[in-house]
Amino acid sequence: MRIQSLSVDQALRSLNSTADGLTAAEAARRLAEYGPNRVEKVGGEHLLLRFAREFTHFFALVLWVAAALAFVAAHFQPGEGMGRLGVAIVGVILINGLFSFWQEYKAERAVAALRRLLPPQVTVRRDGGVGLLAAEALVPGDIVLFAEGDLVPADCRVIEAFGLRVNAATVTGESLPRAHDAAPSAEEALPFARNVLLAGTAVVSGQAHAVVFATGMRTEFGRIAHLTQAAGEARSPLQREIARLSRLVAALACGVGIAFFFVGQALGMPFWANLLFAIGIIVANVPEGLAPTVTLALALATQRMARRNALVRHLPAVEALGAATVICCDKTGTLTQNRMAVRRLWVAGESVATDTLGGRADASGALRVLAANATLCHNLEPPARAGGEPRGDPMEVALAAFGAGLGGAPAGACRVDEIPFDSDRKRMSVLCDTAAGRMLYCKGAPETVLPLCTGVLGRNGVEALDDALRTRLAAAEEAMTGAGLRVLAFAHRGLAHGPGVDAGAAGKPVAAALECALVLAALVGLEDPPRPQVPAAVARCSAAGIRVVMVTGDHPHTAAAIAREIGLVQGAAPLVVSGDELRRMSPTQLQLALDAPEILFARVAAEQKMRIVEALRRKGEVVAVTGDGVNDAPALKVADIGIAMGIAGTDVAKAAADLILLDDNFATIVDAIEEGRAVFDNIRKFLTYILSSNIPEIVPYLAFVLFRIPLPLTIIQILAVDLGTDMLPALALALGAEKPDPEVMRRPPRRRDERLLSWGLVARAYLFLGVFEAVAAMVVFFIVLGAGGWRYGELPAATDPRYLQATTACLLTIVLMQVMNLFLCRHPLRPVLGSGLAPNRLLLAGVAAELALTLVVVYTPAGNWLFGTAPVGAEVWLYALPFALAMGAAEEGRKSWARHASRRQRPGDRR
């Protein structure tokens, strides 16, 4: 039987405990049986294994084989530079592995954060006495004493309560503290039972005694911790695509290299020359700079996003957010401000919004009485520092601030006594001495305050509270509740000067005698208001084709009202699914429900949020999840991208998230999405750029085998292009120094199955731009080689100055063609001059660095020795210029044709 449905005596008996607590011996026995009250860490893969994996994946294995072959070749045929090549390839593997490990490495701080939310010591009753005990030593059956400000260390069943209110937002997602009592509860869901205190929640006001019924990983808190740790890490779309691309390119490189090795053998080439050829084909096809460049691109994108108040914890999250199709958004603290505010009043016979009170006449004095009541009737502590907010229940903080804004209490008014709030009365009252006499101010739930009222402050003074007026009040309360507001009634009465409250003492009136014949001043509706920027952000998400789904632990009425206010819901009848309804849904029913055009989830638990995310991912959506509480952590972790609040968010949520909003502003997500989409576009530009140089790197080897000519480009020179001269310009494209395309937030998210390496990109890089570069490189190579007296059929020595100058000319031509290609790749459709140069100074810096590095390779002794080059005359640079201009003109023509074709597409078609 559920413990929340048992009476106090039944609950104690079920745990073999008493109101005086356990004996020390029995507590020690239970501690040995149940273990410490702490969150245990789920075992994971060892850090060294994760590190080693970065050097043993398929992409790395291909390069290891190439390096090994180079070292073998250096042993059997020294003096050909194969040893230096092997060292260079090993360096590539190490660079890639270290960057990838840094990218993948994820410090698991969720468990430490969870532990910080549990108190180190608690007040416990054992052996009939009361004392402090380490929270880890708690066992089921212990009796814990709670006071205002205490954190709850374990799941407990309340056995006594005095004005107890608990903030459970971090576990259940509710925006308001709830009253708790010891009475049996019919609530099926344990987290929402009024007599249950959950580990990780906080006592806002009142006192309580409670019996522990679950500790450690058996608590709701521990179950969330287990879900957070055990949930599989969702790989981002970019991670999946880079892995696929790496396997594809590596397999292609190996296949082509092996195939041409056998071709060379069939043509009678010497074994070592043929092996050199095969290694060259593999190295030329493998984009060695892909992994470090993508990693650096994402890293610098995170810096730009941080300037826009979005802190990225995991690099792939940058691009994943750009691919998001659905945002599952928590309400409290994400869409709303996570603070209560008075939004509406029923006062002097009419319903008014608080923002219209400024010019309102208050002939009856109802607002003045309300101001005094709200300012005096509370249990707030003074601010911790000058200028700060009072401490206590957020609702009372909001009411006191509202009362002060209306003028506050009368001068000289002071409290003399109090009738405290409790869960049965659902109201509190204070007695105050004022210049007009002693007053009783009362506030509480309308259903407990209105029956005590006999009059209402109207425009013409006190009016009798007859049936007609009660009907109007009920309608006003229902309208506020339907709008998602928390409604309180404020009433008062004048008293003769005399003693205070003391039920039963001689000569002193009892509380019941004071709380009668009250005069109603107002009904007050409070809510956690939306953030001002949220409606515009929701509209931008809609324009970008991104669906926003609210998933909250709050009441359905409140969720629907906020959703309508921010524009998330516009239809007359959105689908609102409660946690109880969700619990009864099968996976198929849930996926079908998610097809509704407008859907909200309310009163959901932690594993249910995870179910919603998993259902959306099964539907092919790329899911982002926002949240700030402990209850959000599992969903944050299994989503494609988890987004936590930086200010109001718990450490647990931040540790489980991929991205943290430093300003807790939902609108910042939209800026981050724009950056994420731009990153994907920029990486595509980078791929076009680096893959274009693969063709002029492969063609020399094909010509070497098929036409028996000197090798136009050595393997070490290929690495000089891929990891040297090309790297900085490629980074200028991939790092997103370009401003995002103005259309990037006006098009729908790309499909989940859309490939980074599309056929259009391959055709443009390999069959168009790459062909131009290959022709130019081979022509210039033969011009320089022929000028040195070479005749067809001759195979000069590797150290022949004529041959070294010719390979250098081939290398120079590829570099200069890539300079032109850099500007051509800035945009797939816009012309070079239309893109401009000024916005991207990094691009110009990359070109300058590329040319400077080329000069070092060509004109310094160290560069000549390392890369097998030789100085060439200025005329060699000019040989390549016409080819670069021709490639630029041809590409501009292709772009013009593509722009016209794009305009002819139907609206909504994708390029």
Side-chain angles (χ1 to χ4, degrees), residues 613-624:
V613 173
E614 290 168 344
L616 285 165
R617 296 189 71 209
R618 285 195 299 271
K619 291 175 72 68
E621 306 285 359
V622 178
V623 185

Side-chain angles (χ1 to χ4, degrees), residues 876-911:
V876 174
W877 295 75
L878 297 177
Y879 293 154
L881 187 58
F883 294 100
L885 295 176
M887 182 175 72
E891 173 66 359
E892 289 299 282
R894 185 206 64 82
K895 288 183 179 182
S896 177
W897 175 85
R899 287 195 300 273
H900 288 300
S902 179
R903 294 191 191 102
R904 289 194 298 268
Q905 287 183 340
R906 291 186 295 108
D909 281 356
R910 300 165 67 92
R911 285 199 298 272

Side-chain angles (χ1 to χ4, degrees), residues 459-484:
R459 286 189 171 277
N460 300 315
V462 178
E463 302 175 9
L465 186 53
D466 54 19
D467 290 342
L469 198 48
R470 288 186 185 276
T471 301
R472 289 175 58 196
L473 281 168
E477 180 188 354
E478 185 177 350
M480 289 188 192
T481 304

Side-chain angles (χ1 to χ4, degrees), residues 737-739 823 826 832-844:
E738 302 279 336
K739 289 185 177 180
F823 295 101
R826 290 184 66 188
V832 171
L833 296 180
S835 299
L837 298 179
N840 193 345
R841 289 190 295 270
L842 184 59
L843 198 73
L844 300 179

Side-chain angles (χ1 to χ4, degrees), residues 87-325:
V87 171
I89 295 176
V90 170
V92 170
I93 298 170
L94 294 176
I95 292 172
N96 282 349
L98 290 171
F99 268 112
S100 297
F101 177 73
W102 183 253
Q103 174 180 329
E104 294 286 343
Y105 177 66
K106 203 172 188 178
E108 280 295 341
R109 291 176 290 177
V111 174
L114 283 164
R115 287 174 176 158
R116 286 197 294 272
L117 282 180
L118 297 180
Q121 287 189 317
V122 290
T123 305
V124 177
R125 180 175 289 151
R126 282 186 180 174
D127 288 323
V130 175
L132 289 176
L133 182 74
E136 287 195 355
L138 280 177
V139 295
D142 266 327
I143 304 299
V144 183
L145 281 60
F146 294 103
E148 182 177 324
D150 286 347
L151 293 175
V152 180
D155 287 356
C156 304
R157 165 64 161 87
V158 178
I159 59 176
E160 289 184 67
F162 311 93
L164 180 65
R165 294 177 66 80
V166 176
N167 183 354
T170 59
V171 177
T172 66
E174 296 173 285
S175 57
L176 291 171
R178 283 193 293 123
H180 284 61
D181 55 41
S185 172
E187 175 67 58
E188 290 187 13
L190 186 72
F192 299 106
R194 291 172 57 89
N195 57 13
V196 169
L197 306 180
L198 298 176
T201 60
V203 177
V204 172
S205 61
Q207 298 176 330
H209 297 172
V211 59
V212 175
F213 65 84
T215 59
M217 299 301 287
R218 300 175 184 84
T219 63
E220 195 76 9
F221 196 77
R223 193 166 56 80
I224 292 173
H226 178 77
L227 286 173
T228 302
Q229 297 178 68
E233 294 288 344
R235 298 179 75 197
S236 79
L238 183 64
Q239 285 176 307
R240 293 192 295 269
E241 187 60 19
I242 291 296
R244 188 194 73 88
L245 177 62
S246 298
R247 289 193 299 269
L248 177 64
V249 172
L252 176 65
C254 290
V256 173
I258 292 171
F260 276 95
F261 176 81
F262 287 111
V263 170
Q265 289 294 99
L267 293 176
M269 286 184 61
F271 177 81
W272 292 112
N274 200 22
L275 180 62
L276 173 67
F277 162 68
I279 296 174
I281 289 289
I282 293 172
V283 173
N285 274 282
V286 172
E288 295 87 0
L290 177 61
T293 300
V294 169
T295 302
L296 286 174
L298 295 173
L300 290 194
T302 65
Q303 296 181 16
R304 294 194 308 278
M305 292 173 77
R307 291 194 291 269
R308 302 177 81 169
N309 292 313
L311 177 64
V312 178
R313 294 186 64 245
H314 307 134
L315 294 182
V318 177
E319 182 276 337
L321 188 58
T325 59

